[in-house]
Amino acid sequence: MTTVASGLDHPVTGDGITPDYLNALLAENGQSARVSAVRLVDAKTYGQEMVSTAGRAMVEVDYVPGEAKFPDKTNVPLPRQLVIKLARGVDDIMGPFYRNEVAFYARLRNELDIEAPATFGAHYDPVTHRLGLVLEDLTERGATFPNVLTPVTLPQVRALLATLARLHARFWNSPRFTGDLDWLETHVSGGVADLMNNLAPAYIQHEIDSQVFKTELVGKLGTTGAELLAGVQAVQRHQSTLSQTVLHGDTHLGNTYLLPGTGPEAPGGGLLDWQLSVRGHHMHDVNYLITTALSIAERRLHERDLLAFYLDRLAAEGVRDLPPFEATFREYRRALVWGVYIGWLTTPVVNYGWEINVVNHLRLTTAYEDHGTAALVNEVR
């Protein structure tokens, strides 16, 4: 699969998803199957029900007879129902995110033995800054999609941490980062880092200044938008000198899904929305997941045990050079500054609704205070 092609006019609404368009995207993934008909089941664009940086559409398709099989799997049919991820159509500022996610699905997804959506086609247009991703419809496997208003159990959080551990262990300090994976961006370099450091701060400051609850939360922390930005940058520079692996990069609870089943062989939980995937320090992913997944009271009770569980899973997956628990916990606490500043100060209420926005802020800023994150950040500034 490649990330550059000609003749793909990516739509920004479900109405533009035609058989010709889908066939071109499938061809990008080397699929020989051809679609003969498309029926739009559902579509959401920017500002509609959990849509933030990209739109999505669900379609039901018919294939040309005899051409609906995976090329590399004997007699396995392509799914009839697909989810298509689309550019949000507001502006082209999200281009680095779209390019990054397409690169993940095009160049890395198929070698990963983790729970994440299967992809059948991916393309990013560097001229229009639009993308098209053809993904499996996870509801066909009974997936549910939690958020901070949805209570999740400790076993479910452990399942998500196990998925992260498998991802992180596979690329732990990998020599491939200077070889075939040198295209991976990091928190300190690349298009996404440039967007976060040079374009996002003005927008975040507007959110702090115009949303009273954000003004109050930042004031409660005794800091400013500029100080938080400097802290994020300092922590990212510092953690780039520590152990590195492939990160999902945006592991708040709303970017996960849960699958049915119990017991050690159950599928567990998976990771959605890989727009911020980078090479970086593992505590970035782990802290953001635990802090957003659990209520404040549950997090205070269980986060050390959950971190210990994650580290045990890393060891079980073959990682041998883990630092001591307390050193890891220190970086876990330091990583909170990103979740506070980039994670949710940047997120307008329209993206997820008022209550989800506020609860994420409360969980993150409370943890920031609980863990003395400001002082830990100042140690590396």
Side-chain angles (χ1 to χ4, degrees):
M1 187 196 300
T2 62
T3 58
V4 177
S6 60
L8 277 175
D9 182 16
H10 294 299
V12 295
T13 69
D15 294 337
I17 301 174
T18 65
D20 286 345
Y21 174 69
L22 280 183
N23 285 332
L25 273 177
L26 290 172
E28 280 293 294
N29 195 32
Q31 304 288 355
S32 60
R34 290 187 56 79
V35 172
S36 59
V38 177
R39 291 172 293 281
L40 185 64
V41 177
D42 189 26
K44 290 183 171 61
T45 56
Y46 181 69
Q48 294 180 313
E49 194 183 338
M50 310 297 180
V51 174
S52 56
T53 56
R56 63 180 180 272
M58 183 182 296
V59 298
E60 187 179 80
V61 301
D62 296 329
Y63 296 97
V64 174
E67 295 187 9
K69 306 289 185 183
F70 284 93
D72 57 345
K73 298 178 182 178
T74 304
N75 291 323
V76 177
L78 286 167
R80 292 283 305 279
Q81 195 149 291
L82 301 167
V83 171
I84 317 299
K85 197 164 185 176
L86 307 168
R88 67 179 189 168
V90 177
D91 49 46
D92 62 5
I93 194 174
M94 296 298 170
F97 290 171
Y98 300 157
R99 181 178 65 244
N100 200 47
E101 184 165 37
V102 166
F104 166 79
Y105 277 108
R107 306 176 73 170
L108 200 55
R109 170 65 187 99
N110 286 343
E111 74 168 87
L112 296 180
D113 182 22
I114 66 168
E115 186 55 55
T119 181
F120 311 110
H123 178 256
Y124 169 75
D125 188 325
V127 176
T128 64
H129 304 288
R130 294 181 180 179
L131 86 162
L133 279 174
V134 185
L135 303 170
E136 69 168 312
D137 174 15
L138 292 164
T139 64
E140 297 285 283
R141 293 199 277 137
T144 56
F145 305 93
N147 60 58
V148 292
L149 307 184
T150 311
V152 294
T153 66
L154 291 174
Q156 288 171 328
V157 177
R158 284 193 288 269
L160 292 167
L161 287 170
T163 297
L164 280 179
R166 175 165 285 190
L167 170 69
H168 295 164
R170 182 178 180 89
F171 299 102
W172 190 263
N173 292 327
S174 175
R176 295 175 62 188
F177 292 144
T178 56
D180 66 306
L181 295 182
D182 65 354
W183 55 270
L184 276 166
E185 297 187 6
T186 74
H187 278 143
V188 297
S189 65
V192 172
D194 181 63
L195 191 156
M196 294 299 193
N197 285 295
N198 298 316
L199 295 179
Y203 181 77
I204 293 172
Q205 191 59 51
H206 172 75
E207 285 287 301
I208 295 171
D209 294 340
S210 62
Q211 297 291 325
V212 175
F213 83 95
K214 295 187 181 185
T215 307
E216 293 294 331
L217 284 171
V218 172
K220 183 173 180 288
L221 296 180
T223 188
T224 66
E227 288 179 349
L228 287 169
L229 171 61
V232 168
Q233 293 170 334
V235 169
Q236 290 182 334
R237 288 191 300 269
H238 162 69
Q239 292 190 337
S240 71
T241 68
L242 306 177
S243 296
Q244 301 290 285
T245 188
V246 173
L247 304 181
H248 174 277
D250 194 17
T251 51
H252 69 84
L253 183 63
N255 278 342
T256 71
Y257 60 95
L258 300 169
L259 292 164
T262 58
E265 301 305 317
L271 303 170
L272 299 165
D273 292 339
W274 292 77
Q275 293 180 355
L276 302 190
S277 56
V278 293
R279 171 168 55 89
H281 187 62
H282 57 308
M283 285 301 100
H284 173 92
D285 275 354
V286 174
N287 175 272
Y288 200 30
L289 174 62
I290 291 175
T291 307
T292 58
L294 295 176
S295 71
I296 292 168
E298 288 277 292
R299 192 253 317 150
R300 286 169 170 167
L301 282 173
H302 300 294
E303 67 186 332
R304 288 179 67 96
D305 289 342
L306 288 170
L307 178 56
F309 168 82
Y310 161 82
L311 294 174
D312 286 346
R313 293 309 309 154
L314 267 187
E317 295 285 352
V319 176
R320 295 289 176 261
D321 57 342
L322 287 171
F325 178 89
E326 290 302 330
T328 301
F329 190 49
R330 195 173 189 84
E331 296 306 329
Y332 169 97
R333 294 156 58 206
R334 211 182 323 253
L336 263 163
V337 67
W338 187 94
V340 169
Y341 183 71
I342 296 291
W344 282 88
L345 284 178
T346 192
T347 306
V349 171
V350 68
N351 284 8
Y352 293 96
W354 175 263
E355 194 171 9
I356 288 176
N357 204 297
V358 170
V359 172
N360 272 296
H361 276 290
L362 284 173
R363 289 182 177 181
L364 288 158
T365 55
T366 301
Y368 184 97
E369 292 180 304
D370 285 352
H371 287 310
T373 297
L376 292 173
V377 170
N378 285 334
E379 289 179 357
V380 298
R381 284 185 64 175

